[in-house]
Amino acid sequence: MKIVIAGAGAVGTHLSKLLSTENHDCVLIDDDDERLEGIDSNYDIMAICQSPTSIKTLRDAGTASADLFVGVTRLESRNITACMLAHALGAKKTVARIDNYEYLQPQHQEMFRQVGVDSLVYPEVLAAGDIISGLQLSWVRQRLDVHDGALVLLGVKLRDTCQILNQPIKDLCGPDDPYHIVALKRGGETIIPGGLDVLQNGDLAYFMTTKEYIPHIKRIVGKEQYEDVKSVIIMGGGKTSVRAALTLPDNMHAKIIESSLERCEQLNQLIDRSNIMIIHGDGRDLGLLREEGIRNTQAFVALSGNAETNILACLTAKKLGVRKTIAMVENLDYVSMAEGLDIGTIINKKTVAASHIFQMMMRADVRNLRTLMLADSEVAELVAAEGARVTKNPVKALGLPRGIAIGGLVRSGKGILVNGNTQIQAGDSVIVFCHRHVLDKVEKYFKKTIIPW
């Protein structure tokens, strides 16, 4: 596929590198040569140092034949303009990064499509959604609700209190068991497990289950001592903090600690909720944290603009007794370090946004796509087309490539865990897990089969 990306910032650069490893024809446009330095020599990417809203530049980049055009510059207006121009030139799909929540309202989506913008991405909103999801289950590192919650994916760090350690997965995840273990992160290795694999202390295990069995999962992994989150301290008052505060459940109370007095005044205007308190101060100040009751707080969320600060703040919060910590880590080089320090849940806006954009490129009917950053793998929700290969045989006879597993499906709104004897039907939404860069191999199983005359 041909993809043109306008904007060599964090999201654009990460997305272009990701696409180049998938053997796509990728062009990256930016008018700042420092941002493009080294891109085309280190990756198979064409870099163009010109304005992304120049019609000539867009033509030279091959936008007319682009399967996808992505506008992810710093400026929302520039992204929308670039997408409109790309659409007019012939790009098949366009997506624009925005920072105005009003644009995401459902009643405005058709208006944007009419002017040539097919999809909108607000990374801070996506990140805030992950934060709220993580707070709702304090013992889970990552949670993903599939198909409006019909199925749930839970990433759990296993300790010696786990009841199912050192047992073959085939003995744990039978046809009648209420969960499947679909991926493991062990040290630096990602495993799509088979029946003979066993869970070990220290594994990050991903469980596919349904909502009613979440308490069962909590019990067998030995996390019953974890309390529900009722109080949260958030360090940093940026856009992600605002979106998280505005969507925080009513039964939770949060304190946002912000070092800028001017920003605190803005936050008081932006967040008008009785369960949110704005505090002027330094979120790294131990005295302030103690004064604000951190020892009686169930969760600490570090959302400053500095990854090192967020990691250290979460480590401090854990030493003070906070069980659930979440850190915004924008520098991908620090992700493995943060994981090694066991700080808890890690949020990265650019990988969340890139997953959303990458979804638009899939040829099959992909409803959802997420990168499991810590596990270096992907989970996708694909819809089986009428006559697709995946509907021809039971799962065990499909001949799926190595490194790919089907965890569950949704049929008529009901979540169903999949085993080897499951027969997938046309219209089923199927949850697929795989190592990164191999998802394209499974797409063909879900597309309509064309039988030649």
Side-chain angles (χ1 to χ4, degrees), residues 284-302:
R284 300 167 296 180
D285 185 335
L286 292 179
L288 176 60
L289 292 175
R290 290 191 180 101
E291 184 180 330
E292 295 302 331
I294 193 167
R295 293 191 183 278
N296 298 314
T297 299
Q298 291 83 40
F300 181 87
V301 184

Side-chain angles (χ1 to χ4, degrees), residues 62-349:
T63 302
S65 60
D67 297 286
L68 179 65
F69 181 89
V70 182
V72 284
T73 73
R74 299 182 196 179
L75 299 177
E76 171 185 82
S77 58
R78 202 178 199 193
N79 296 333
I80 293 173
T81 299
C83 284
M84 293 170 64
L85 293 172
H87 173 78
L89 289 171
K92 294 182 177 65
K93 290 183 180 179
T94 64
V95 55
R97 176 181 180 174
I98 60 168
D99 56 16
N100 186 336
Y101 187 73
E102 178 189 16
Y103 292 169
L104 292 179
Q105 301 303 311
Q107 64 269 27
H108 299 146
Q109 300 310 297
E110 183 57 33
M111 178 184 69
F112 278 103
R113 281 192 287 269
Q114 288 178 1
V115 299
V117 184
D118 296 305
S119 183
L120 301 170
V121 175
Y122 193 159
E124 289 77 11
V125 169
L126 297 174
D130 282 358
I131 290 168
I132 297 303
S133 179
L135 290 174
Q136 290 174 335
L137 293 176
S138 61
W139 50 280
V140 169
R141 291 291 176 93
Q142 187 173 8
R143 170 180 174 170
L144 178 62
D145 287 283
V146 179
H147 210 90
D148 299 323
L151 290 169
V152 183
L153 177 68
L154 306 175
V156 184
K157 190 76 168 182
L158 304 183
R159 306 298 187 188
D160 55 9
T161 55
C162 177
Q163 300 175 15
I164 56 175
L165 294 179
N166 304 315
Q167 300 178 52
I169 287 179
K170 66 182 178 64
D171 295 340
L172 301 173
C173 305
D176 300 322
D177 289 302
Y179 65 88
H180 284 169
I181 298 167
V182 294
L184 297 172
K185 177 67 179 295
R186 180 175 298 155
E189 182 184 7
T190 298
I191 302 168
I192 303 296
L196 298 179
D197 287 301
V198 299
L199 301 181
Q200 298 180 11
N201 188 9
D203 284 351
L204 177 61
Y206 286 87
F207 294 79
M208 175 64 75
T209 188
T210 51
K211 282 185 176 180
E212 64 265 32
Y213 288 105
I214 291 177
H216 175 72
I217 303 296
K218 183 178 183 181
R219 180 179 60 80
I220 64 174
V221 297
K223 304 289 185 179
E224 290 182 299
Q225 74 276 19
Y226 277 73
E227 300 176 301
D228 291 339
V229 173
K230 298 297 182 184
S231 59
V232 186
I233 290 180
I234 300 175
M235 184 184 76
K239 292 179 182 178
T240 306
S241 299
V242 172
R243 299 318 318 174
L246 291 174
T247 53
L248 193 76
D250 292 335
N251 65 336
M252 295 185 192
H253 291 77
K255 296 177 180 179
I256 299 178
I257 302 177
E258 167 58 43
S259 59
S260 166
L261 181 59
E262 180 182 0
R263 182 58 177 171
C264 284
E265 293 172 352
Q266 294 174 348
L267 292 173
N268 278 315
Q269 297 296 319
L270 292 169
I271 306 170
D272 184 18
R273 297 191 64 186
S274 60
N275 61 335
I276 308 293
M277 180 183 297
I278 311 300
I279 298 169
H280 177 228
D282 188 340
R284 300 167 296 180
D285 185 335
L286 292 179
L288 176 60
L289 292 175
R290 290 191 180 101
E291 184 180 330
E292 295 302 331
I294 193 167
R295 293 191 183 278
N296 298 314
T297 299
Q298 291 83 40
F300 181 87
V301 184
L303 300 178
S304 80
N306 185 285
E308 298 98 318
T309 298
N310 293 338
I311 292 169
L312 291 173
C314 284
L315 287 173
T316 301
K318 289 182 79 72
K319 288 182 178 180
L320 292 172
V322 180
R323 284 192 177 273
K324 179 69 176 184
T325 57
I326 300 175
M328 181 77 76
V329 181
E330 285 302 284
N331 189 333
L332 288 174
D333 293 334
Y334 290 159
V335 169
S336 59
M337 179 186 71
E339 182 189 6
L341 292 171
D342 204 22
I343 64 168
T345 299
I346 298 170
I347 301 292
N348 183 282
K349 289 185 293 186

